[in-house]
Amino acid sequence: MNNNTLPTKPHYQILDGLRGVAAVIVVWFHLCEPHASSHLTQHINHGYLAVDFFFLLSGYVIGYAYDDRWNQLTFGSFLRRRIERLQPLVILGMTLGAIGFYWQGSAIWPDIQTVPVWKMLLVMLIGYTILPVPLSMDIRGWQEMHPLNSVGWSLFFEYIANILYAIGIRKFSNKTLGILVALSAAALVYFAVTNSNGDVTGGWTLSVEQVKVGMTRVMYPFFAGLLLSRLGKKIHIKHAFLWCSVFVAVLLFMPRIGGADHLWMNGLYESICIIVLFPVIVMMGAGGVMHSERGAKICKFLGDLSYPLYMTHYTLVYFYVGWVSDHKGITLAESWPYALSTFLGAIVVAYAGLKLFDEPVRAWVRKRFK
């Protein structure tokens, strides 16, 4: 089946913009992270919830884009479209991670220079497929699925959710899908309020326990997003992009709740964010309208930049984390010029990756399979 016979539907501009807002917050979360003394004292304490927000947006957009068009699709053509969209930046991120790897030797990663080049290149090639590397191939020491570009773990679970959708869940009735979403929500709440960290972090290590965490994190938001798109419920408010951006920022910047003595309280907060508040924000974003050309351009820019920024920024953050580890005790207030430079560099790299690699490669792939 011709992969290009299925036209692209119009985008939800505000949802695109919100994805960009969340991506920017993720970058700052990762820049603040090395300054925290523990997971209880991070400056942007719930920045990692942006990943769960991304999963929800993905499920919503997948449902909107494909749910009513399977009479024109096969599993292969669907998967090819997803690979065309996701894989070029996976490859770019892994390549950038490989280029910078041997320059990241520092107090936190003292053994980088001892890693054989062949092993690093093998990790890169496996990373190109987004399949996780086994723990025996951990070349950094953080037990990451993708030691050259840590954020690849979420794309691994994104692919799993897409495949589950395509091979069967797309056929679920709304009632059956609702039952799946409810069970996934219950599993998410149980995990968040009972685990030893009192939050939903995890999923980036190839171990049975951490794969369970990753699946728990993706199942509810992705398929809740799919259900929301099917139900078509939207909330119409004025200045939706502004208000939704503020709500996302407030939820992600919220300080730790409950402290070390009441970890379950923070888990409950994160459960409410993912299960209730994020869907409300998506309904507001889907129901909003951009009335100004400037606002539409901002949303488009943020939307276009969001995925490249997410997939490439950590290759620069590694350098910053290493630098902070070599300056033990340095605060964010003292290192802000370096943090800001890393952030601006991440924006430049993401935009260059979008225009010089991602868009040309996707155009070539579309032409190749036309």
Side-chain angles (χ1 to χ4, degrees):
M1 183 173 291
N2 189 336
N3 195 38
N4 296 287
T5 60
L6 200 64
T8 301
K9 290 184 177 181
H11 284 216
Y12 282 106
Q13 292 178 316
I14 293 175
L15 296 186
D16 286 347
L18 292 177
R19 191 169 59 246
V21 169
V24 169
I25 295 175
V26 165
V27 178
W28 277 109
F29 165 72
H30 284 144
L31 290 172
C32 292
E33 203 171 17
H35 296 284
S37 58
S38 75
H39 65 287
L40 301 175
T41 60
Q42 297 191 40
H43 294 285
I44 306 177
N45 211 293
H46 293 94
Y48 48 82
L49 292 182
V51 171
D52 307 271
F53 186 61
F54 291 148
F55 287 149
L56 183 71
L57 287 172
S58 293
Y60 192 94
V61 170
I62 289 295
Y64 166 68
Y66 298 109
D67 219 29
D68 61 350
R69 301 202 281 182
W70 277 94
N71 61 331
Q72 305 172 63
L73 281 170
T74 64
F75 172 75
S77 61
F78 169 79
L79 188 60
R80 188 164 67 242
R81 290 172 72 93
R82 299 312 296 150
I83 290 173
E84 173 194 309
R85 178 67 186 95
L86 299 175
Q87 213 60 22
L89 283 166
V90 169
I91 292 172
L92 178 61
M94 298 299 169
T95 302
L96 293 175
I99 291 171
F101 180 71
Y102 287 109
W103 300 89
Q104 294 161 4
S106 53
I108 198 170
W109 302 307
D111 299 325
I112 277 182
Q113 299 301 326
T114 68
V115 176
V117 173
W118 68 263
K119 192 172 186 179
M120 185 275 291
L121 292 176
L122 180 58
V123 168
M124 180 187 73
L125 292 175
I126 296 173
Y128 283 174
T129 71
I130 209 58
L131 293 173
V133 299
L135 291 176
S136 61
M137 294 292 291
D138 179 18
I139 57 176
R140 187 179 297 277
W142 272 8
Q143 297 188 331
E144 300 157 294
M145 285 185 177
H146 299 287
L148 296 176
N149 190 16
S150 183
V151 299
W153 74 270
S154 64
L155 267 293
F156 172 68
F157 288 106
E158 172 94 9
Y159 266 115
I160 290 176
N162 275 260
I163 291 170
L164 290 175
Y165 164 73
I167 64 176
I169 293 178
R170 65 181 176 82
K171 300 177 184 178
F172 284 14
S173 67
N174 285 358
K175 182 178 179 180
T176 304
L177 181 59
I179 293 172
L180 173 65
V181 168
L183 292 174
S184 300
L188 179 67
V189 173
Y190 177 80
F191 166 65
V193 301
T194 62
N195 83 86
S196 58
N197 289 329
D199 54 41
V200 299
T201 56
W204 47 79
T205 297
L206 188 60
S207 66
V208 173
E209 186 60 34
Q210 286 298 301
V211 169
K212 287 180 181 178
V213 173
M215 289 302 297
T216 301
R217 290 186 71 176
V218 76
M219 284 299 291
Y220 171 79
F222 187 91
F223 292 108
L226 173 62
L227 183 60
L228 277 180
S229 74
R230 285 187 177 185
L231 297 177
K233 293 187 180 297
K234 301 174 183 177
I235 299 173
H236 304 280
I237 63 171
K238 293 182 179 180
H239 310 298
F241 176 61
L242 174 61
W243 284 114
C244 288
S245 298
V246 170
F247 292 158
V248 168
V250 168
L251 295 179
L252 300 188
F253 276 83
M254 182 67 69
R256 186 82 179 191
I257 294 173
D261 296 328
H262 301 91
L263 293 173
W264 67 270
M265 293 178 64
N266 192 75
L268 183 60
Y269 167 77
E270 295 185 4
S271 300
I272 292 171
C273 286
I274 298 169
I275 295 171
V276 180
L277 301 180
F278 286 170
V280 169
I281 292 171
V282 169
M283 286 189 287
M284 291 168 57
V289 178
M290 295 303 304
H291 294 289
S292 71
E293 184 177 349
R294 177 182 295 179
K297 287 181 177 179
I298 291 173
C299 284
K300 185 179 186 308
F301 174 76
L302 288 171
D304 290 346
L305 191 69
S306 59
Y307 183 49
L309 182 61
Y310 182 73
M311 284 307 298
T312 62
H313 79 278
Y314 214 88
T315 62
L316 296 183
V317 170
Y318 280 131
F319 287 97
Y320 183 75
V321 171
W323 181 83
V324 171
S325 74
D326 287 338
H327 296 78
K328 189 174 181 179
I330 193 169
T331 65
L332 184 61
E334 295 169 328
S335 66
W336 71 265
Y338 300 93
L340 181 60
S341 297
T342 305
F343 171 73
L344 295 177
I347 297 293
V348 171
V349 169
Y351 190 75
L354 171 69
K355 294 300 180 181
L356 301 179
F357 185 80
D358 184 40
E359 290 181 346
V361 169
R362 286 194 282 138
W364 179 84
V365 171
R366 285 193 295 270
K367 184 178 179 180
R368 172 69 177 79
F369 287 102
K370 187 173 182 180

